[in-house]
């Protein structure tokens, strides 16, 4: 079943991962709304960068691989599509925090990778999410 864990609580993360002992951690949690990131920067940093740092450290302790889902917001939008060696240049706080998360994964050595996504589909609350998410619900 599903187990809840506050990723901003490093002790809870350690206890949960120590119990499950995963071989792979797929980290897709984030505050992904740029406007919310700008209004609540500390909370967004705790999740988008701090939790990533914690998960990378825990992955190293467990010998687990970490896959970090990042965003194309780490780029400035001037030269898409981006190759794997493209230089990031985030234009907003959300992109900067996600880039810090990527750098945490890079510092973790050979135990992880990250992927840039332009859209991640998930359940959402109608009327409270960006229009591309709302559009998706009507297309299905």
């Amino acid at each position: 079943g599903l187990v809840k864990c506050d990723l901003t609580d490093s002790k809870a993360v350690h206890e949960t991962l120590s119990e499950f002992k995963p071989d792979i951690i797929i980290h897709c949690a984030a505050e992904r709304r740029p406007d919310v990131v700008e209004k609540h920067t500390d909370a967004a940093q705790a999740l988008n960068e701090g939790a990533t740092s914690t998960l990378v450290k825990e992955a190293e302790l467990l010998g687990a691989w970490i896959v970090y889902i990042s965003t194309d917001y780490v780029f400035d939008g001037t030269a898409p599509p981006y190759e794997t060696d493209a230089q990031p240049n985030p234009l907003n706080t959300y992109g900067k925090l996600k880039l810090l998360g990527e750098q945490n994964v890079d510092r973790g050595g050979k135990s992880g990778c990250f992927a840039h996504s332009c859209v991640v589909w998930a359940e959402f609350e109608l009327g409270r999410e960006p229009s591309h998410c709302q559009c998706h619900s009507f297309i299905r």
Side-chain angles (χ1 to χ4, degrees):
L2 184 63
V3 175
K4 290 186 178 186
C5 179
D6 178 357
L7 296 180
T8 63
D9 179 345
S10 58
K11 183 179 178 187
V13 171
H14 176 76
E15 290 172 357
T16 302
L17 292 177
S18 293
E19 180 182 338
F20 283 96
K21 296 178 179 52
D23 294 319
I24 300 172
I25 299 167
I26 300 174
H27 176 31
C28 51
E31 176 50 70
R32 69 194 190 295
R33 299 166 295 177
D35 58 324
V36 175
V37 170
E38 296 296 335
K39 289 179 188 171
H40 304 283
T41 304
D42 290 343
Q45 182 163 11
L47 181 59
N48 293 7
E49 191 265 331
T52 306
S53 177
T54 299
L55 287 169
V56 167
K57 290 173 188 168
E58 292 299 324
E60 289 175 342
L61 289 173
L62 293 166
W65 183 267
I66 183 164
V67 178
Y68 175 60
I69 307 300
S70 190
T71 176
D72 61 351
Y73 276 70
V74 301
F75 302 111
D76 58 18
T78 60
Y82 294 97
E83 299 293 328
T84 56
D85 62 348
Q87 290 300 308
N89 186 30
L91 300 178
N92 61 22
T93 305
Y94 170 65
K96 291 173 184 173
L97 292 177
K98 292 299 280 186
L99 179 58
L100 288 172
E102 290 182 13
Q103 291 167 345
N104 281 320
V105 173
D106 274 345
R107 280 192 291 275
K110 297 181 180 183
S111 61
C113 66
F114 51 85
H116 296 119
S117 174
C118 60
V119 177
V120 176
W121 297 109
E123 292 298 318
F124 61 91
E125 196 172 323
L126 190 60
R128 298 186 52 155
E129 294 291 334
S131 60
H132 67 271
C133 292
Q134 292 180 29
C135 180
H136 174 68
S137 72
F138 296 112
I139 293 171
R140 288 194 281 174

